[in-house]
Amino acid sequence: FFLSPTTRADSKMAVGKNKRLSKGKKGKGKKIVDPFTKKEWYDIKAPGNFSVRNCGKTPVTRTTGTKIASEMLKGRVFEVCLADLNKDEDQHYRKIKLQCEEVQGHSCLTQFYGLTFTTDKLRSMVKKWQSLIEAHVDVKTSDGYVMRLFCIGFTKKRPNQLKKTCYANAAQQKSIRKKMREIMSRESTSCELKELVNKFIPEVIGKEIEKACQGIYPMQNVHIRKVKMLKKPKFDLTKLLEAHGDSGPAAAAADTGDKVEVAADADPAARPDRGAVL
């Protein structure tokens, strides 16, 4: 391999080029500090709708100057599997989003923020020889939360059907979508967020849609596959504490106190009669 004289001349390094030899290594004086030495761990408290209340921990940088730890935690969104929240492995395919709204001590009080299906569950439901029908609607709960609900459903074979396929025609799909929107709106607008979350957990709305669409076309695997929070009302601490069961009528009713044993001499009926006091 031969280089021409011109090429050899060009390949020489420029005269006076400083290769940082005099300056020493870059960033030598900086000490590497592990960022986790400055962190604190906070407990994530789920609302009262779920059976497991302590659902995890989250780190946050300690309060320094104007950066307050509790302020940095507010607004954080945590994604927790419903199987872990309710100790029920049959609900493993649904993920609940919880948003931190208030910090009390070392606990983050969260509120429901959304619901999603795992990708593998959605993929497993989609099959050949059936129609996939989807609908979405924006709803406002009675306590002012605006949410977008997404529904998914699939057609199924009629009893004793021999035909391989079970496709719904365009008119049937249109009327099924209309029914989906009607039921989602009706079930959501008439109740508060806490009650609505209680409807999402056992999939009441999906079963209701399945039953209503039976007359149009038999349906299967009807689910509310996604819930998105669009707007929230002004923050109300008492409402949040009520959702967590820390105050309100439900907590008051639950805390009835312990039974106290009364000593025999303390009982007025057991005391001997000492006559009238003058």
Side-chain angles (χ1 to χ4, degrees):
F1 182 70
F2 176 72
L3 284 171
S4 67
T6 53
T7 319
R8 251 181 272 142
D10 295 342
S11 63
K12 278 181 187 175
M13 199 179 84
V15 180
K17 187 86 170 172
N18 186 357
K19 289 181 79 182
R20 292 191 58 89
L21 296 170
S22 59
K23 294 181 183 177
K25 280 190 179 175
K26 229 178 190 177
K28 191 183 171 187
K30 273 192 179 176
K31 259 190 184 177
I32 299 162
V33 182
D34 182 22
F36 271 81
T37 56
K38 297 174 187 172
K39 304 281 179 188
E40 283 180 320
W41 290 87
Y42 282 75
D43 295 315
I44 303 163
K45 280 268 184 83
N49 308 72
F50 309 102
S51 54
V52 177
R53 302 297 301 281
N54 274 2
C55 56
K57 286 182 176 286
T58 184
V60 68
T61 310
R62 280 195 196 93
T63 305
T64 48
T66 53
K67 287 185 177 178
I68 300 158
S70 59
E71 291 304 314
M72 286 191 273
L73 281 168
K74 282 175 194 173
R76 268 193 200 183
V77 177
F78 310 104
E79 200 171 71
V80 192
C81 181
L82 189 58
D84 297 333
L85 283 171
N86 278 347
K87 289 183 180 174
D88 181 9
E89 282 306 312
D90 297 336
Q91 298 175 336
H92 66 92
Y93 54 86
R94 283 187 291 169
K95 294 179 289 183
I96 301 286
K97 282 183 179 176
L98 302 169
Q99 188 176 39
C100 175
E101 291 200 342
E102 182 62 35
V103 179
Q104 287 193 339
H106 265 67
S107 298
C108 300
L109 303 184
T110 60
Q111 185 60 283
F112 177 82
Y113 189 68
L115 178 145
T116 50
F117 262 47
T118 56
T119 313
D120 62 298
K121 174 67 177 177
L122 284 172
R123 301 284 181 274
S124 70
M125 290 192 297
V126 178
K127 296 184 183 84
K128 289 201 287 184
W129 322 122
Q130 61 180 14
S131 298
L132 183 153
I133 301 161
E134 282 189 302
H136 67 269
V137 69
D138 290 3
V139 296
K140 189 175 185 178
T141 60
S142 57
D143 52 354
Y145 287 89
V146 180
M147 288 183 283
R148 187 167 291 153
L149 272 59
F150 296 82
C151 183
I152 192 168
F154 302 87
T155 55
K156 72 171 180 185
K157 285 184 180 180
R158 287 191 169 91
N160 310 318
Q161 184 179 321
L162 300 173
K163 194 177 159 190
K164 186 184 180 182
T165 61
C166 52
Y167 298 129
N169 62 38
Q172 286 169 327
Q173 288 189 24
K174 194 177 178 181
S175 46
I176 286 169
R177 271 196 294 273
K178 191 185 175 187
K179 271 265 185 293
M180 281 177 170
R181 287 195 198 98
E182 274 175 20
I183 292 165
M184 283 193 288
S185 298
R186 188 185 72 214
E187 293 286 332
S188 308
T189 51
S190 60
C191 62
E192 291 187 358
L193 180 70
K194 193 176 179 179
E195 292 165 52
L196 187 56
V197 174
N198 286 336
K199 285 181 185 179
F200 290 146
I201 295 166
E203 297 192 293
V204 170
I205 300 171
K207 286 167 189 166
E208 193 76 29
I209 292 166
E210 209 169 297
K211 211 190 290 175
C213 294
Q214 213 62 29
I216 305 162
Y217 206 105
M219 299 289 287
Q220 64 178 347
N221 293 332
V222 182
H223 301 285
I224 301 293
R225 67 168 181 88
K226 191 177 183 181
V227 178
K228 240 176 161 180
M229 186 70 74
L230 301 179
K231 242 184 211 171
K232 297 197 299 182
K234 200 179 171 191
F235 176 65
D236 185 0
L237 183 61
T238 52
K239 272 266 172 76
L240 180 68
L241 292 173
E242 222 170 277
H244 278 263
D246 299 336
S247 78
D255 186 23
T256 51
D258 297 326
K259 202 172 182 181
V260 180
E261 283 184 28
V262 181
D265 58 334
D267 187 9
R271 282 189 210 140
D273 187 24
R274 292 181 184 172
V277 179
L278 298 169

Coordinates of all heavy atoms in Angstrom, one line a residue, residues 6 12 85 124 239 267:
T6 N 1.9 13.9 -1.4 CA 1.0 14.9 -0.9 C 0.1 14.4 0.2 O -0.1 15.1 1.2 CB 0.0 15.4 -2.1 OG1 -0.6 14.2 -2.6 CG2 0.8 16.1 -3.2
K12 N 0.1 14.7 8.4 CA 0.9 15.2 9.6 C 0.0 16.1 10.5 O -0.8 16.8 10.0 CB 2.1 16.0 9.1 CG 3.3 15.1 8.7 CD 4.5 16.0 8.3 CE 5.6 15.1 7.7 NZ 6.7 16.0 7.2
L85 N -52.9 -5.2 44.5 CA -53.8 -4.3 45.4 C -54.9 -5.1 46.0 O -55.4 -4.7 47.1 CB -54.3 -3.2 44.5 CG -53.4 -2.0 44.2 CD1 -54.0 -1.1 43.2 CD2 -53.0 -1.2 45.4
S124 N -54.1 -11.3 23.4 CA -54.7 -12.6 23.5 C -56.1 -12.7 23.2 O -56.7 -13.7 22.8 CB -54.4 -13.2 24.9 OG -55.3 -12.5 25.8
K239 N -62.2 15.2 51.4 CA -62.7 14.2 50.5 C -61.6 13.1 50.3 O -61.9 11.9 50.3 CB -62.9 14.8 49.1 CG -64.3 15.4 48.9 CD -65.2 14.3 48.3 CE -66.7 14.8 48.3 NZ -67.0 15.8 47.3
D267 N -70.3 -0.6 90.3 CA -71.7 -0.7 89.8 C -72.6 -0.1 90.9 O -72.7 -0.7 92.0 CB -72.0 -2.1 89.4 CG -73.3 -2.3 88.8 OD1 -73.9 -1.2 88.4 OD2 -73.8 -3.4 88.6

